[in-house]
Amino acid sequence: MITLTLEQIALAVNGTLHLQGSDLTADSVTDGMVHTDSRDTVPGSIFVAKPGEVTDGHLFAPAAVDRGATLLIVERHLDLPVAQIVVPDAVTALGDLATFVVARVRAAGNLKIVAVTGSNGKTTTKNLIRAVLERVGPTVAARASFNNEVGAPLTMLELTQDTRFLVAEMGASGRGEIARLIRMARPDVGIVLKVGLAHAGEFGGIEATVLAKTEMVTDLLETDVAILNTDDPRVAGMAAHTAARIVWFGQYGDEGVRATEVHASARGTTFTLQLASGEKRPVAFRVLGEHHVMNALAAAAAAEVLGVGIDDIVSALESVQTAERWRMQVLGGRDGVTVINDAYNASPDSMTAALKTLAQINIPGRRTIAVLGEMSELGELAGEEHDRVGLLAVRLNISQLIVVGRAARRMHISTINEGSWDGESAFVESADEAFELLRDTVQPGDTVLVKSSNSAGLRFLGDRLGEWFS
């Protein structure tokens, strides 16, 4: 974080500074990292005691102090010998501090901010943009999926006075959440990747999802840039709701950043990248799955807008091997067995893309196995969408389907009701049962996809299978 006095921090978060028991003063300065998990704190850290759904961060403040935290941001004064700022709401204070820091860095230098949202692909696109921008200047980007009212400001607070680029990932489960993040760090470049059924149950339907994602571009200025997916009509329609300059990306449009000659294999995807300027280069993109080409196009569009040349863009894209842990992560290798662990998240769109990739990369004569768990947060659409995924597995001629957990059981039911299948689908209650079944039935040369929402926990099954077949 940038260097601030304790008094400046207290003013930024609208809090009351308490110094009893501390050897610091209001004029003492800190540039320590900000954490909401006491396990992450190191000497000089700032610990924000955030109340949670299950526990309360105030209970872990002593541990944070023991690990070296020199300042606490709390909702009530604690009997601890450390400087404390008492605020009405710790999460609001975290956002207020991030807003203050971003404004200070922007005012002092040449900071450019890129924000990414969409129902799928946010983390992958963020990582690709970071890989490109790091080649031309100091870059801060979200760790993992730090994209909500806590994770996004924690990323913003990693800025220093030398930071040239901030890449912010912005997720939402309801109206107003992206707008709140936009107010913290008003982007120069706003990207909308796709509008799908991810979190549709929480949003209240697809139209509500569109309205929420549109918040990314509604407040952009004429001097800003909105990067929109021309292949998604819902995203393309957002052009009517922004004053910003539009840059399109897609595989089927006639303008903007495009991909042609796309060919997917087990080694990744090759394509020809064409920038909005008309420049073209071949790209050997090693992130598995043709659907990730769209994320690469969005990253290339952002980089071009920010003045990065096509050679640096292509070199950076080709350097990335894995989107992120648990996202189309290739594991295994023993006896030619490939394990694809893509179980960090799942929606109907991403599940469809993963199954199509599994079918697409398969070598003739070898088997494909899909180990699938629940797609969460779909609300009343859950049953229908799980049925649809099961039927897709049949139509793609996946060799074996293993459905894990009662919440996903309709996938299994829908497949066994298809007359073209006879015993190719199995249902198990738990990840442990799935592991035992796979351990005994996987054959040399098989490709195994593990895919589910985070809440189903199959990402750990994917890790376990990857280790077993390593």
Side-chain angles (χ1 to χ4, degrees):
M1 192 179 75
I2 63 173
T3 300
L4 296 171
T5 68
L6 301 191
E7 183 178 31
Q8 286 174 321
I9 295 173
L11 289 171
V13 301
N14 193 31
T16 303
L17 178 62
H18 296 266
L19 296 170
Q20 299 93 324
S22 169
D23 58 1
L24 301 179
T25 69
D27 293 327
S28 296
V29 297
T30 179
D31 58 1
M33 294 297 295
V34 181
H35 300 288
T36 58
D37 188 329
S38 62
R39 294 168 295 185
D40 294 333
T41 54
V42 296
S45 292
I46 300 170
F47 177 69
V48 180
K50 178 182 72 70
E53 295 180 2
V54 178
T55 187
D56 184 348
H58 293 78
L59 300 176
F60 300 94
V65 174
D66 288 344
R67 293 178 66 90
T70 55
L71 175 65
L72 306 179
I73 297 178
V74 294
E75 293 182 1
R76 59 181 182 273
H77 188 263
L78 303 177
D79 186 19
L80 293 170
V82 65
Q84 301 175 45
I85 298 174
V86 179
V87 296
D89 184 287
V91 174
T92 299
L94 183 65
D96 289 342
L97 183 57
T99 303
F100 180 80
V101 167
V102 171
R104 286 284 291 258
V105 176
R106 188 190 283 277
N110 60 350
L111 177 68
K112 293 293 184 181
I113 299 174
V114 182
V116 184
T117 196
S119 298
N120 306 106
K122 293 185 295 296
T123 300
T124 299
T125 304
K126 172 259 301 179
N127 288 342
L128 295 174
I129 296 171
R130 173 175 55 196
V132 178
L133 296 182
E134 282 178 337
R135 294 179 173 241
V136 294
T139 302
V140 169
R143 288 173 280 129
S145 290
F146 275 31
N147 61 24
N148 61 10
E149 62 181 357
V150 175
L154 285 174
T155 298
M156 298 171 198
L157 289 168
E158 294 183 20
L159 293 175
T160 69
Q161 296 290 3
D162 296 326
T163 304
R164 185 173 171 189
F165 301 107
L166 168 65
V167 187
E169 181 181 337
M170 296 186 176
S173 56
R175 293 279 302 276
E177 294 182 13
I178 292 176
R180 182 163 57 248
L181 299 178
I182 291 294
R183 287 193 293 269
M184 293 181 197
R186 189 189 62 74
D188 302 282
V189 180
I191 303 172
V192 185
L193 299 169
K194 185 178 182 63
V195 175
L197 292 175
H199 311 293
E202 292 185 337
F203 278 109
I206 191 67
E207 294 308 319
T209 306
V210 173
L211 292 174
K213 300 300 183 185
T214 304
E215 293 171 9
M216 172 60 73
V217 300
T218 50
D219 291 334
L220 294 181
L221 305 177
E222 292 182 2
T223 53
D224 298 329
V225 177
I227 296 177
L228 301 178
N229 179 354
T230 191
D231 296 349
D232 185 334
R234 296 188 179 99
V235 176
M238 296 177 187
H241 301 280
T242 183
R245 175 168 68 92
I246 307 298
V247 172
W248 301 103
F249 71 95
Q251 294 191 49
Y252 306 111
D254 296 325
E255 58 181 310
V257 179
R258 305 196 298 280
T260 59
E261 302 172 289
V262 179
H263 177 71
S265 71
R267 296 181 299 276
T269 307
T270 59
F271 63 96
T272 297
L273 170 67
Q274 179 171 321
L275 297 183
S277 65
E279 287 188 280
K280 295 182 180 181
R281 292 286 191 284
V283 179
F285 190 46
R286 290 188 285 176
V287 177
L288 190 63
E290 183 178 327
H291 55 290
H292 283 307
V293 170
M294 290 295 285
N295 302 325
L297 295 181
E304 183 182 24
V305 164
L306 294 170
V308 183
I310 192 168
D311 291 333
D312 280 332
I313 292 172
V314 171
S315 177
L317 292 178
E318 292 186 334
S319 74
V320 179
Q321 299 185 46
T322 303
E324 181 91 6
R325 186 183 180 193
W326 300 320
R327 288 177 170 86
M328 299 303 284
Q329 183 180 12
V330 179
L331 305 169
R334 176 167 55 87
D335 298 327
V337 174
T338 300
V339 177
I340 304 171
N341 192 357
D342 192 32
Y344 186 83
N345 242 326
S347 67
D349 287 333
S350 68
M351 190 74 84
T352 297
L355 284 172
K356 287 182 176 179
T357 297
L358 177 63
Q360 196 171 35
I361 68 174
N362 187 48
I363 298 173
R366 296 188 179 181
R367 299 196 313 160
T368 52
I369 302 173
V371 186
L372 307 182
E374 180 191 12
M375 299 179 291
S376 62
E377 301 175 356
L378 291 177
E380 62 183 14
L381 299 172
E384 175 185 342
E385 293 302 326
H386 282 85
D387 288 344
R388 196 187 310 275
V389 168
L391 294 175
L392 179 64
V394 176
R395 291 163 187 164
L396 290 173
N397 200 29
I398 302 303
S399 307
Q400 173 77 57
L401 175 65
I402 299 174
V403 177
V404 185
R406 289 198 170 274
R409 191 167 182 266
R410 282 188 61 161
M411 289 186 202
H412 171 65
I413 299 301
S414 66
T415 59
I416 62 176
N417 286 338
E418 285 287 291
S420 61
W421 265 28
D422 181 20
E424 289 94 339
S425 181
F427 171 76
V428 294
E429 295 276 1
S430 68
D432 285 342
E433 291 178 66
F435 177 78
E436 292 173 6
L437 176 59
L438 288 158
R439 182 186 58 192
D440 295 337
T441 59
V442 168
Q443 300 172 11
D446 285 353
T447 300
V448 183
L449 167 71
V450 184
K451 179 74 174 171
S452 74
S453 285
N454 202 346
S455 58
L458 295 196
R459 61 196 186 281
F460 303 117
L461 170 63
D463 287 344
R464 193 176 176 189
L465 288 170
E467 183 177 353
W468 180 262
F469 291 107
S470 64

Short mmCIF file of all heavy atoms in Angstrom, two decimals, residues 217-226 238-246:
data_model
loop_
_atom_site.label_atom_id
_atom_site.label_comp_id
_atom_site.label_asym_id
_atom_site.label_seq_id
_atom_site.Cartn_x
_atom_site.Cartn_y
_atom_site.Cartn_z
N VAL A 217 -20.40 -0.32 -17.64
CA VAL A 217 -20.14 0.68 -18.69
C VAL A 217 -20.98 1.94 -18.56
O VAL A 217 -20.69 2.94 -19.22
CB VAL A 217 -20.38 0.07 -20.09
CG1 VAL A 217 -19.45 -1.11 -20.31
CG2 VAL A 217 -21.83 -0.35 -20.30
N THR A 218 -22.01 1.94 -17.72
CA THR A 218 -22.93 3.08 -17.71
C THR A 218 -22.28 4.37 -17.24
O THR A 218 -22.68 5.46 -17.69
CB THR A 218 -24.16 2.78 -16.83
OG1 THR A 218 -23.73 2.29 -15.55
CG2 THR A 218 -25.06 1.75 -17.48
N ASP A 219 -21.29 4.29 -16.36
CA ASP A 219 -20.67 5.50 -15.84
C ASP A 219 -19.34 5.84 -16.49
O ASP A 219 -18.64 6.75 -16.04
CB ASP A 219 -20.48 5.39 -14.32
CG ASP A 219 -21.81 5.43 -13.58
OD1 ASP A 219 -22.77 6.01 -14.12
OD2 ASP A 219 -21.89 4.88 -12.47
N LEU A 220 -18.97 5.11 -17.53
CA LEU A 220 -17.73 5.44 -18.23
C LEU A 220 -17.89 6.78 -18.95
O LEU A 220 -18.97 7.12 -19.43
CB LEU A 220 -17.38 4.35 -19.25
CG LEU A 220 -17.01 2.97 -18.70
CD1 LEU A 220 -16.68 2.02 -19.85
CD2 LEU A 220 -15.84 3.04 -17.73
N LEU A 221 -16.78 7.51 -19.04
CA LEU A 221 -16.79 8.82 -19.68
C LEU A 221 -16.50 8.70 -21.17
O LEU A 221 -16.07 7.63 -21.65
CB LEU A 221 -15.75 9.72 -19.01
CG LEU A 221 -15.86 9.88 -17.49
CD1 LEU A 221 -14.71 10.74 -16.98
CD2 LEU A 221 -17.21 10.45 -17.09
N GLU A 222 -16.66 9.79 -21.89
CA GLU A 222 -16.37 9.78 -23.32
C GLU A 222 -14.90 9.48 -23.61
O GLU A 222 -14.56 8.97 -24.68
CB GLU A 222 -16.75 11.13 -23.94
CG GLU A 222 -18.25 11.41 -23.97
CD GLU A 222 -18.56 12.74 -24.62
OE1 GLU A 222 -17.60 13.42 -25.08
OE2 GLU A 222 -19.75 13.12 -24.68
N THR A 223 -14.05 9.79 -22.66
CA THR A 223 -12.62 9.54 -22.82
C THR A 223 -12.23 8.11 -22.46
O THR A 223 -11.07 7.72 -22.63
CB THR A 223 -11.81 10.52 -21.96
OG1 THR A 223 -12.29 10.45 -20.60
CG2 THR A 223 -11.97 11.94 -22.48
N ASP A 224 -13.17 7.34 -21.93
CA ASP A 224 -12.90 5.96 -21.54
C ASP A 224 -13.23 5.02 -22.70
O ASP A 224 -13.72 5.43 -23.75
CB ASP A 224 -13.75 5.59 -20.32
CG ASP A 224 -13.41 6.44 -19.10
OD1 ASP A 224 -12.25 6.86 -18.97
OD2 ASP A 224 -14.32 6.69 -18.28
N VAL A 225 -12.97 3.74 -22.47
CA VAL A 225 -13.21 2.73 -23.49
C VAL A 225 -14.02 1.58 -22.89
O VAL A 225 -13.67 1.06 -21.83
CB VAL A 225 -11.90 2.18 -24.07
CG1 VAL A 225 -12.17 1.07 -25.08
CG2 VAL A 225 -11.09 3.30 -24.73
N ALA A 226 -15.08 1.18 -23.58
CA ALA A 226 -15.85 -0.01 -23.22
C ALA A 226 -15.51 -1.11 -24.22
O ALA A 226 -15.68 -0.93 -25.43
CB ALA A 226 -17.35 0.28 -23.25
N MET A 238 -25.19 -3.41 -24.71
CA MET A 238 -24.74 -2.43 -23.72
C MET A 238 -24.12 -1.20 -24.35
O MET A 238 -23.97 -0.18 -23.68
CB MET A 238 -23.73 -3.09 -22.77
CG MET A 238 -24.31 -4.21 -21.94
SD MET A 238 -23.07 -5.01 -20.89
CE MET A 238 -24.01 -6.40 -20.24
N ALA A 239 -23.80 -1.28 -25.64
CA ALA A 239 -23.21 -0.12 -26.33
C ALA A 239 -24.15 1.08 -26.29
O ALA A 239 -23.70 2.23 -26.33
CB ALA A 239 -22.89 -0.49 -27.77
N ALA A 240 -25.45 0.81 -26.20
CA ALA A 240 -26.43 1.90 -26.17
C ALA A 240 -26.50 2.59 -24.80
O ALA A 240 -27.18 3.60 -24.66
CB ALA A 240 -27.81 1.37 -26.55
N HIS A 241 -25.80 2.05 -23.81
CA HIS A 241 -25.91 2.56 -22.45
C HIS A 241 -24.62 3.17 -21.93
O HIS A 241 -24.44 3.31 -20.72
CB HIS A 241 -26.36 1.43 -21.51
CG HIS A 241 -27.68 0.83 -21.89
ND1 HIS A 241 -28.88 1.43 -21.56
CD2 HIS A 241 -27.99 -0.28 -22.59
CE1 HIS A 241 -29.87 0.69 -22.03
NE2 HIS A 241 -29.36 -0.35 -22.66
N THR A 242 -23.71 3.50 -22.84
CA THR A 242 -22.45 4.09 -22.39
C THR A 242 -22.04 5.24 -23.31
O THR A 242 -22.34 5.22 -24.52
CB THR A 242 -21.33 3.04 -22.36
OG1 THR A 242 -20.13 3.63 -21.85
CG2 THR A 242 -21.06 2.45 -23.74
N ALA A 243 -21.38 6.22 -22.72
CA ALA A 243 -20.82 7.32 -23.50
C ALA A 243 -19.42 7.02 -23.99
O ALA A 243 -18.85 7.77 -24.79
CB ALA A 243 -20.80 8.59 -22.64
N ALA A 244 -18.84 5.91 -23.52
CA ALA A 244 -17.46 5.58 -23.84
C ALA A 244 -17.30 5.15 -25.30
O ALA A 244 -18.26 4.73 -25.96
CB ALA A 244 -16.96 4.48 -22.92
N ARG A 245 -16.07 5.21 -25.77
CA ARG A 245 -15.74 4.66 -27.08
C ARG A 245 -15.82 3.14 -27.01
O ARG A 245 -15.36 2.52 -26.04
CB ARG A 245 -14.33 5.09 -27.49
CG ARG A 245 -13.85 4.48 -28.80
CD ARG A 245 -12.58 5.18 -29.28
NE ARG A 245 -11.44 4.93 -28.43
CZ ARG A 245 -10.57 3.92 -28.62
NH1 ARG A 245 -10.76 3.07 -29.62
NH2 ARG A 245 -9.52 3.79 -27.83
N ILE A 246 -16.44 2.53 -28.02
CA ILE A 246 -16.62 1.08 -28.03
C ILE A 246 -15.51 0.41 -28.83
O ILE A 246 -15.19 0.82 -29.94
CB ILE A 246 -17.99 0.69 -28.65
CG1 ILE A 246 -19.14 1.43 -27.97
CG2 ILE A 246 -18.19 -0.82 -28.60
CD1 ILE A 246 -19.29 1.11 -26.51
#
